[in-house]
């Protein structure tokens, strides 16, 4: 794990990834193992743009530390970052923000340490919700249940931008 940190500091992301993966294989302590899963998730997101793997690793961190908010913040950010790559329809891309904000809400409700960051992200991304006209055009209304398809595959709640 220390070698992975060293390679991260040197910005050698391939080596850092390799050593984090090895550390996880050998890991025993669940707190440290959760940290390593999260670090590897963050690395896959920020350096390798491997969004699916990043989410899966963040979920593994949550299995070990269920009340930790950071993995939820990361999952929401991964959803937002992936929308252009995985969704061609403008409406579908905008619904990704619903799923992302859901993750930010979960984070702040679970972990008081991330409440300020979660609120910041909620405010930042709620602006990109579809407006009332677009929601209506898709025969939806505020509060309806909606399934964000594709790789995200999450059920969320319809919301409109307040702009």
């Amino acid at each position: 794990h220390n070698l992975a940190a060293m390679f991260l500091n040197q910005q050698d992301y391939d080596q850092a990834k390799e050593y984090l993966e090895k550390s996880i294989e050998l890991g025993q302590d669940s707190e440290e193992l959760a940290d390593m899963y999260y670090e590897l998730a963050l690395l896959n997101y920020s350096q390798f743009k491997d969004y699916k793997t990043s989410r899966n690793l963040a979920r593994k961190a949550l299995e070990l530390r269920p009340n930790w908010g950071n993995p939820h913040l990361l999952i929401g950010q991964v959803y937002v970052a992936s929308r252009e790559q995985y969704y061609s329809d403008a409406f579908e891309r905008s619904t990704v923000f619903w799923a992302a904000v859901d993750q930010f809400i979960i984070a702040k409700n679970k972990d008081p340490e991330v409440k300020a960051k979660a609120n910041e992200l909620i405010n930042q991304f709620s602006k990109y919700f579809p407006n009332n006209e677009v929601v209506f055009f898709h025969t939806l209304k505020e509060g309806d249940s909606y399934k964000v398809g594709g790789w995200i595959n999450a059920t969320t709640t319809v919301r409109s931008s307040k702009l």
Side-chain angles (χ1 to χ4, degrees):
H1 190 204
N2 290 336
L3 285 170
M6 180 188 75
F7 285 117
L8 277 173
N9 286 336
Q10 295 174 354
Q11 297 181 344
D12 185 343
Y13 302 116
D14 291 317
Q15 286 284 39
K17 181 179 177 183
E18 183 179 326
Y19 279 98
L20 273 171
E21 288 169 346
K22 287 180 182 178
S23 297
I24 287 170
E25 285 176 28
L26 301 171
Q28 299 288 324
D29 175 84
S30 63
E31 282 281 312
E32 186 180 18
L33 197 53
D35 289 341
M36 289 187 285
Y37 274 121
Y38 176 73
E39 290 169 20
L40 188 55
L42 196 56
L43 189 62
N44 274 283
Y45 161 66
S46 64
Q47 299 305 317
F48 298 104
K49 310 299 183 224
D50 186 347
Y51 303 123
K52 292 177 186 177
T53 299
S54 181
R55 178 185 62 182
N56 292 341
L57 291 165
R59 286 179 172 172
K60 287 183 184 261
L62 286 167
E63 287 173 18
L64 297 167
R65 284 177 58 189
N67 293 322
W68 191 16
N70 283 332
H72 287 289
L73 296 179
L74 178 59
I75 291 169
Q77 292 171 307
V78 163
Y79 287 170
V80 169
S82 76
R83 74 188 188 290
E84 297 292 329
Q85 180 178 342
Y86 288 99
Y87 301 93
S88 57
D89 177 74
F91 178 71
E92 285 298 316
R93 281 195 302 270
S94 69
T95 66
V96 168
F97 292 106
W98 294 333
V101 167
D102 290 347
Q103 290 296 313
F104 305 146
I105 291 168
I106 291 168
K108 78 176 191 171
N109 289 339
K110 280 186 173 183
D111 185 351
E113 290 184 23
V114 301
K115 187 175 183 177
K117 179 66 175 172
N119 284 332
E120 178 185 315
L121 290 167
I122 290 166
N123 291 333
Q124 179 183 350
F125 292 119
S126 294
K127 296 179 212 166
Y128 301 108
F129 290 168
N131 66 35
N132 283 328
E133 285 180 20
V134 172
V135 168
F136 179 76
F137 178 75
H138 285 86
T139 65
L140 297 167
K141 63 183 183 315
E142 290 261 343
D144 283 353
S145 182
Y146 183 84
K147 176 105 171 188
V148 177
W151 80 277
I152 292 176
N153 193 33
T155 301
T156 187
T157 303
V158 173
R159 289 160 275 190
S160 301
S161 67
K162 304 303 179 213
L163 300 177

